[in-house]
Amino acid sequence: MKLKNFLIVMTLVAVVSDYLLHPFYPQFFELHFGVSNPEHVGYYFAAICFMVMLAFPFWAYVSKKISELNILVYTQAVAGFLALYCYYTTSYLNFWIVSLIMVLFKGSYLLVYPYILKIITKEEQPKTIGLLSVVVHLGGILGAVLGGFTVDYIHPSSIFLIMAGGDFIQMLMSGYLLKRKNYDTSIMISDKSSSVDKLIPKGFILKLGLITLMLYFSDFLIRPFFSLYWESFSSAASKLVSGAIYAIPGFVALITLWVNNKRKTVEKYQGIINALCIGLIGLFLQGIPSEMAVIAGRIIYGWAIFQGVVKFDVLLFELSSPESYALDYSKIHFFQNLGVLLASLSVGLLVEDFGLQIPFSIALVGFLITLLLYFFVFKSIRIFNKQLAKS
């Protein structure tokens, strides 16, 4: 197996392990600690998000001195042992403290993403970023299914045993790569002939970070109450149908990746404006309380958000340099998680005061702001691309 494919498999293991308990924290807190207040779950989610925001930039800075795989061997081992402690502890306070420290160490797996992009050429990056995006979708689905099975047939706390197993597998896989001589883990392919080198906007990390903050805020704003929104007007109001409608963008992402890989031309980061405009249509349709409108909107939105997220990542790595991939991506990731955090903290209040349709209206405005910011901030790059196409 090629090094890139091995690392992609390792990413899948990490994402599955990371998403096991995400949909089931309310059940876990109630059954394991007797805590049923939904506010506690909300605060805990916000705390996790905040820890990830801090963890990734920290490990990206450490990776300047220590190689990514050497970091993962130790951090995933620590995360695994902390997950075992979370399984055994009966103290609510200790669980909070230890589990958040676990997230700090577990978050080091995010280093694998920029590391993969360091060992491939610029030409390979768009398809690889698309593949990694789908791996995250698949990992989330598999993690939710495995977590749901554990909650239904075993016990919610047992998820931490599986989580620990995932961490230890990542530790062993990292160690295996370092020991095997047929894997050159020190390789770094650098392409210094990027056509946008002279057109990089000053402070592009901050600008791109703010743009994607708005994008991720808008995207995550429509997620928490989508199933309730669907069930409020649908004649097929079962949980299975709600889950299937919710998952439509994930399935569309798989199809889009397949179509993109079949195409002979690679657009790189071009087409961001088209994706955002189509995303506006998808959001508008989802805000109409009609089964057909929402399904059509989910399909259109699924294509748009996949293309938009992938192309923004491609743009980041096009503007960055291989030796700065991890640090630059960690900064962008910080802004993206800040958008998720803001959405998580505000969506409950918005729905309580204005109803289940309001997230789609605000997300629509958010996409429009994202579109305008991108249009004006990265105007020089788009002009250069047009000139290059004519020559």
Side-chain angles (χ1 to χ4, degrees), residues 15-24 143-144 146-148 159 162-163:
V15 174
V16 171
S17 174
D18 196 31
Y19 276 79
L20 282 168
L21 198 55
H22 274 211
F24 308 110
L146 183 57
I159 286 176
I162 304 173
M163 197 178 292

Side-chain angles (χ1 to χ4, degrees), residues 42 63 85 102 113 144 148-149 155 159 210 219 258 267 290 299 307-308 310-311 313 318 335 339 381 387 390:
S63 71
Y85 178 88
M102 178 191 72
Y113 187 106
F149 177 85
H155 192 276
I159 286 176
L210 291 173
D219 177 41
W258 180 80
E267 294 182 344
S290 160
I299 294 171
Q307 294 283 59
V310 167
K311 289 179 184 295
D313 278 358
E318 186 76 13
F335 283 102
I381 294 178
Q387 293 173 345
K390 292 178 181 178

Side-chain angles (χ1 to χ4, degrees), residues 261-278:
N261 287 337
K262 288 292 182 180
R263 298 174 64 182
K264 294 182 179 180
T265 58
V266 179
E267 294 182 344
K268 292 190 175 181
Y269 52 86
Q270 292 91 342
I272 288 177
I273 290 178
N274 292 340
L276 292 174
C277 288
I278 293 171

Side-chain angles (χ1 to χ4, degrees), residues 4-272:
K4 183 185 79 170
N5 296 334
F6 197 99
L7 291 168
I8 289 173
V9 172
M10 197 161 83
T11 301
L12 179 62
V13 173
V15 174
V16 171
S17 174
D18 196 31
Y19 276 79
L20 282 168
L21 198 55
H22 274 211
F24 308 110
Y25 277 112
Q27 295 93 322
F28 171 75
F29 280 133
E30 184 170 2
L31 292 173
H32 200 66
F33 298 112
V35 176
S36 57
N37 190 334
E39 289 185 9
H40 285 252
V41 179
Y43 294 146
Y44 185 74
F45 263 112
I48 288 177
C49 192
F50 182 71
M51 288 301 291
V52 173
M53 288 168 59
L54 297 179
F56 191 18
F58 172 76
W59 294 119
Y61 178 78
V62 173
S63 71
K64 287 283 190 180
K65 307 293 183 181
I66 306 171
S67 69
E68 290 88 345
L69 293 177
N70 276 301
I71 292 173
L72 288 170
V73 167
Y74 296 101
T75 55
Q76 296 308 308
V78 173
F81 284 115
L82 292 177
L84 291 177
Y85 178 88
C86 289
Y87 168 74
Y88 285 108
T89 187
T90 55
S91 168
Y92 183 54
L93 177 62
N94 288 349
F95 171 81
W96 259 77
I97 295 171
V98 173
S99 63
L100 291 178
I101 296 173
M102 178 191 72
V103 170
L104 176 66
F105 284 93
K106 186 185 283 287
S108 62
Y109 84 82
L110 294 166
L111 291 171
V112 176
Y113 187 106
Y115 179 66
I116 291 173
L117 298 176
K118 282 203 301 187
I119 63 173
I120 61 176
T121 63
K122 290 278 188 181
E123 289 70 26
E124 294 177 278
Q125 284 184 1
K127 288 186 177 180
T128 303
I129 290 172
L131 177 60
L132 287 167
S133 180
V134 168
V135 164
V136 172
H137 280 290
L138 284 175
I141 293 170
L142 291 174
V145 170
L146 183 57
F149 177 85
T150 306
V151 169
D152 282 341
Y153 297 102
I154 308 176
H155 192 276
S157 61
S158 298
I159 286 176
F160 282 98
L161 293 177
I162 304 173
M163 197 178 292
D167 295 332
F168 291 137
I169 289 172
Q170 291 174 72
M171 175 196 72
L172 294 173
M173 292 178 77
S174 300
Y176 175 81
L177 287 175
L178 290 169
K179 294 294 183 181
R180 296 285 293 186
K181 294 182 179 179
N182 56 319
Y183 289 116
D184 184 2
T185 56
S186 63
I187 188 171
M188 184 173 72
I189 296 175
S190 178
D191 184 358
K192 297 182 179 180
S193 61
S194 173
S195 60
V196 297
D197 282 349
K198 297 180 180 179
L199 294 167
I200 296 176
K202 292 181 179 179
F204 82 93
I205 287 292
L206 176 61
K207 294 173 181 177
L208 191 58
L210 291 173
I211 291 170
T212 54
L213 181 154
M214 182 58 65
L215 178 67
Y216 275 69
F217 170 81
S218 304
D219 177 41
F220 277 81
L221 197 67
I222 68 173
R223 296 190 183 193
F225 293 92
F226 177 83
S227 60
L228 290 178
Y229 168 69
W230 168 263
E231 291 168 9
S232 69
F233 61 82
S234 174
S235 57
S238 73
K239 300 296 181 185
L240 180 61
V241 173
S242 300
I245 301 300
Y246 180 88
I248 285 176
F251 292 112
V252 172
L254 291 173
I255 297 170
T256 305
L257 176 67
W258 180 80
V259 172
N260 287 349
N261 287 337
K262 288 292 182 180
R263 298 174 64 182
K264 294 182 179 180
T265 58
V266 179
E267 294 182 344
K268 292 190 175 181
Y269 52 86
Q270 292 91 342
I272 288 177

